[in-house]
Amino acid sequence: MTSAEATFHIDDTVVYAMQGIGRIKNTVTRTTEGRQQGFYQIELEKNKGEVLVPVDDAAVLGLRHALAAVEVPQVLQRLQQAASQPALRGQSENHYLWCKQRLRQGQALGLAEVRRFLHDLEQVENFANLRLRQLRSYVYVELPAEIAQALGCSLAPAEHLVDTALTSKHPVALPMR
């Protein structure tokens, strides 16, 4: 299912771009700019914070269903492929905008591609751009967290899977349950 076709329901586990994993707690109606608008009320996992995401714009804003266990092999394969964006020195603002756009597309494979790209970029330059460093912090935490949640394992094996996929040419074996 693409993010454009996604529908969300109360108690769905979702990922909101740049915020992380959360659970839809409710749908609420608010008046904004003189008109009624529906919002998903999402409780975020990492800090128990709450965000309201407009129902009509949810997919455009990067809300998507959480990674499923059956999708993890595809994500690991994506990590083993070169990023579609070349990692060039001195292009940090362009790199940031490209990464942000990929994350806003609302797909786990996009998150994996950004993780691959940032890994490759680290091989050619330091992260001097503050926004790129913040994005890196999010991506480096979020991808293993999603994999751990999908596989029902702790964070350490998920981080190991990501690291192995980034550095190995061989297929990555999933942990046994």
Side-chain angles (χ1 to χ4, degrees), residues 101-113:
Q101 182 263 338
R102 292 293 295 145
L103 294 174
R104 281 268 165 105
Q105 289 177 347
Q107 297 174 0
L109 291 177
L111 178 63
E113 183 174 14

Side-chain angles (χ1 to χ4, degrees), residues 2 19 24 28 44 53 56 62-63 69 81 83 118 145-146 149 177:
T2 67
Q19 298 294 324
I24 296 179
V28 296
L44 299 172
V53 179
D56 294 340
L63 187 68
Q81 299 168 359
L118 293 173
E146 283 194 52
Q149 193 232 9
R177 287 192 192 208

Side-chain angles (χ1 to χ4, degrees), residues 8-161:
F8 305 99
H9 305 284
I10 293 173
D11 288 328
D12 280 357
T13 300
V14 295
V15 177
Y16 187 39
M18 300 306 296
Q19 298 294 324
I21 299 171
R23 185 169 304 277
I24 296 179
K25 294 314 239 177
N26 203 357
T27 54
V28 296
T29 302
R30 299 278 194 268
T31 302
T32 56
E33 298 178 358
R35 70 178 184 97
Q36 298 262 311
Q37 187 173 7
F39 291 86
Y40 294 114
Q41 182 181 14
I42 302 170
E43 182 181 31
L44 299 172
E45 225 177 61
K46 70 178 169 186
N47 62 7
K48 297 299 180 201
E50 185 178 285
V51 293
L52 295 176
V53 179
V55 170
D56 294 340
D57 298 325
V60 172
L61 294 173
L63 187 68
R64 63 177 170 83
H65 290 279
L67 185 65
V70 298
E71 297 172 299
V72 172
Q74 291 175 309
V75 167
L76 296 174
Q77 286 174 353
R78 184 64 197 96
L79 286 170
Q80 291 186 296
Q81 299 168 359
S84 63
Q85 173 81 358
L88 303 173
R89 210 178 262 275
Q91 300 287 316
S92 58
E93 187 61 23
N94 290 338
H95 292 328
Y96 170 79
L97 294 172
W98 179 83
C99 290
K100 186 94 170 176
Q101 182 263 338
R102 292 293 295 145
L103 294 174
R104 281 268 165 105
Q105 289 177 347
Q107 297 174 0
L109 291 177
L111 178 63
E113 183 174 14
V114 169
R115 177 61 178 90
R116 172 85 241 176
F117 171 76
L118 293 173
H119 172 81
D120 294 348
L121 185 61
E122 282 184 309
Q123 310 307 308
V124 297
E125 76 176 355
N126 293 328
F127 288 97
N129 180 299
L130 175 63
R131 295 191 315 166
L132 198 56
R133 282 196 317 264
Q134 290 170 333
L135 185 119
R136 178 192 180 276
S137 294
Y138 166 75
V139 170
Y140 277 48
V141 169
E142 185 59 28
L143 186 58
E146 283 194 52
I147 291 171
Q149 193 232 9
L151 296 178
C153 67
S154 67
L155 197 53
E159 288 171 336
H160 179 71
L161 284 172

